[in-house]
Amino acid sequence: QSALTQPASVSGSPGQSITISCTGTSSDIGGHNFVSWYQQNPGMAPKLIIYEVTNRPSGVSNRFSASKSGNTASLIISELQAEDEADYYCSSKTASSTLVFGGGTKLTVL
Amino acid sequence: EVQLVESGGALVRPGGSLRLSCAASGFSFSSYSMSWVRQAPGKGLEWVSSTTGTSAYIFYADSVKGRFTISRDNAKNALYLQMNSLRAEDTAVYYCAKYNYNYDFDYWGQGTLVTVSS
């Protein structure tokens, strides 16, 4: 199972919105709605910020939203803040009921 | 409060073995699947293995299949990863994570570092 494809880096200025894409295949992202997103700060464990494509866990800012179209999922962060600077990973269930992560995207807040 | 605490990480020589442990608390451990996820230095996350609550279903990444064994002791609220025939490319921080039915990880441990080097 190959890793899902994410851009290596994205950047934006405070107050702007950015989108991080996550591209897979019909065997993973395109085949169901079990897509999640994680935020990871340096030296820390990942934190779940989106589950089942669009849902936010309790306590996660509503500036984080997500969607899916075909084999591509997207994470949108609006009203960008300095504290959003982190690595972001998508993940998806696979056809064999295992899990695959994206390669990760480093978000820089300019 | 959910807590996951990994232990057992160490420096080990190629071809060697190591057993990681994860102590869980704050939730009904036996009711949930659990997983190991690893992250090589400076690299991304890689799912390693998962087990359902009763260990009825176990899954492995192709990269570790035949070398790693996941297990759990529900009486002790503990998850394990037995790692054999270790290779340099197994060097990583290994995270224990609570794995939900919808294929997401809502709680993670702090990780334990495994270094495979001669």
Side-chain angles (χ1 to χ4, degrees), chain B residues 17-83:
Chain B
S17 297
L18 203 60
R19 188 196 198 204
L20 304 183
S21 299
C22 171
S25 61
F27 65 103
S28 179
F29 183 72
S30 61
S31 298
Y32 290 90
S33 294
M34 296 293 295
S35 292
W36 290 97
V37 176
R38 68 184 181 183
Q39 186 169 33
K43 302 296 184 183
L45 301 173
E46 180 187 14
W47 171 80
V48 173
S49 181
S50 296
T51 174
T52 54
T54 61
S55 304
Y57 295 95
I58 288 177
F59 302 90
Y60 296 99
D62 288 343
S63 58
V64 306
K65 200 172 295 182
R67 301 187 299 121
F68 289 11
T69 302
I70 191 172
S71 62
R72 63 191 296 161
D73 185 336
N74 287 342
K76 295 182 178 179
N77 286 356
L79 178 72
Y80 306 103
L81 186 66
Q82 177 67 43
M83 303 185 295

Side-chain angles (χ1 to χ4, degrees), chain A residues 1 34 36 38 40 43-48 50-52 89 91-93 96-103, chain B residues 37 39 43-47 50 59-62 95 99-111:
Chain A
Q1 177 70 48
F34 296 128
S36 303
Y38 300 86
Q40 186 180 34
M44 302 293 288
K47 172 188 175 183
L48 179 68
I50 296 288
Y51 66 96
E52 289 181 318
Y89 295 90
S91 72
S92 171
K93 172 186 181 286
S96 52
S97 296
T98 60
L99 192 104
V100 62
F101 283 100
Chain B
V37 176
Q39 186 169 33
K43 302 296 184 183
L45 301 173
E46 180 187 14
W47 171 80
S50 296
F59 302 90
Y60 296 99
D62 288 343
Y95 293 103
Y99 193 29
N100 291 320
Y101 74 93
N102 51 357
Y103 295 85
D104 67 61
F105 306 102
D106 56 351
Y107 291 96
W108 299 67
Q110 83 288 351

